Amino acid sequence: MTGRRLQDATALGLLLRFSCNQDPAITQMFTNITTRTKNDVDNSILTIRNKLDSVQTTVSDIVTLLLKAGAPAREQVLAWLEQAVQVNAERAKENPDANITATNGMFVNLTMVLLKLCGPFMDPKSKKAQLIKTEFLASQNLLFSIDETRLVGAGTQDAASTQDDRQVLNSSNFNFITRCYFITARAMPLGPVGMMGQYVRLLRQLSYFQNRMDAPNADPRLRAPLTRWWSRR
């Protein structure tokens, strides 16, 4: 099972995969953007945000209902959420393979749903927050590999070893709050946080090329693609 397969072949994946870059109507909303007013563009962005919020709220309600449908249903939902994070570990790379990972849109929606589930125990002072068991990190689990939890490892293996000597426990041994919290903690760097990193790297690349183009001895060929692009606007 890959992240893309889980997104396109499971019920929850299909609900979560709505994305801004998959809808031709959304692309159409930003045509001829250089000739439009700022208010017009802002209204288009607001419309998209409202649609995304509607999708995320609807899926959150569905997931919440499933979690409240009984122990078997709750376990199935948690298992799916854990698998969704596990099979998308590729997204942790700087240049992940888009053919085997879920889309950015799916992971943004997934993370928002998880954050909504964590809402009741996000306050560190709340009684529910006290139910989060950090022992989860010291046990073998699908979310965090041994390389990511060395500081809480229970064994005495050399730091270079890849042997997972953490305690063997089933995820079902932990309460819902603990599992939901750590699923969310793992999803964040694979989703929004990772995407922000990609955005920052893109800005750096653009800044580099801009500096090259503005240099007194810049090669005219560097300006040619940009000039052609502007001529088509």
Side-chain angles (χ1 to χ4, degrees):
M1 175 69 77
T2 65
R4 182 57 61 91
R5 176 66 177 170
L6 181 133
Q7 170 187 288
D8 296 336
T10 63
L12 288 178
L14 291 172
L15 290 173
L16 289 166
R17 71 176 183 175
F18 177 83
S19 175
C20 297
N21 61 358
Q22 292 180 331
D23 190 340
I26 293 179
T27 303
Q28 187 66 26
M29 293 171 67
F30 294 95
T31 56
N32 301 319
I33 193 171
T34 57
T35 61
R36 296 166 57 188
T37 65
K38 183 178 183 300
N39 286 338
D40 189 19
V41 175
D42 287 344
N43 287 335
S44 295
I45 294 174
L46 180 61
T47 299
I48 295 173
R49 285 178 175 172
N50 289 336
K51 288 183 178 180
L52 283 174
D53 182 67
S54 177
V55 170
Q56 292 162 1
T57 299
T58 299
V59 179
S60 293
D61 291 342
I62 293 173
V63 171
T64 300
L65 289 173
L66 290 172
L67 290 170
K68 293 180 178 179
R74 181 170 61 251
E75 181 58 34
Q76 288 294 320
V77 172
L78 287 172
W80 186 92
L81 293 172
E82 290 174 344
Q83 185 182 26
V85 174
Q86 178 197 18
V87 298
N88 280 288
E90 172 78 10
R91 290 181 59 89
K93 298 180 180 179
E94 185 171 321
N95 295 300
D97 185 349
N99 294 317
I100 63 174
T101 60
T103 60
N104 285 341
M106 186 270 194
F107 244 81
V108 168
N109 294 333
L110 174 63
T111 305
M112 288 303 298
V113 169
L114 288 169
L115 287 173
K116 288 178 182 291
L117 292 177
C118 290
F121 48 89
M122 289 291 282
D123 185 353
K125 297 181 180 179
S126 69
K127 293 183 179 180
K128 290 185 177 181
Q130 307 305 315
L131 298 176
I132 299 174
K133 303 299 182 182
T134 56
E135 293 84 356
F136 183 89
L137 292 176
S139 65
Q140 294 184 21
N141 60 80
L142 298 176
L143 303 178
F144 299 93
S145 67
I146 183 62
D147 291 335
E148 296 166 333
T149 59
R150 288 193 184 280
L151 292 179
V152 294
T156 58
Q157 294 289 333
D158 183 82
S161 174
T162 58
Q163 181 179 352
D164 192 345
D165 56 358
R166 294 175 296 177
Q167 185 178 7
V168 179
L169 290 175
N170 194 296
S171 293
S172 58
N173 294 126
F174 295 93
N175 60 52
F176 167 78
I177 290 178
T178 296
R179 294 174 69 181
C180 187
Y181 175 83
F182 284 109
I183 292 172
T184 307
R186 184 62 179 136
M188 287 294 292
L190 298 179
V193 175
M195 291 166 59
M196 286 187 283
Q198 294 174 356
Y199 176 70
V200 170
R201 288 192 293 273
L202 178 60
L203 288 181
R204 289 173 179 170
Q205 292 174 0
L206 290 174
S207 177
Y208 169 77
F209 284 114
Q210 185 66 53
N211 291 335
R212 289 284 303 275
M213 290 171 58
D214 293 341
N217 58 343
D219 189 332
R221 289 175 296 181
L222 290 174
R223 294 181 177 273
L226 186 60
T227 302
R228 288 197 299 270
W229 184 83
W230 276 108
S231 66
R232 294 196 299 266
R233 306 311 292 171

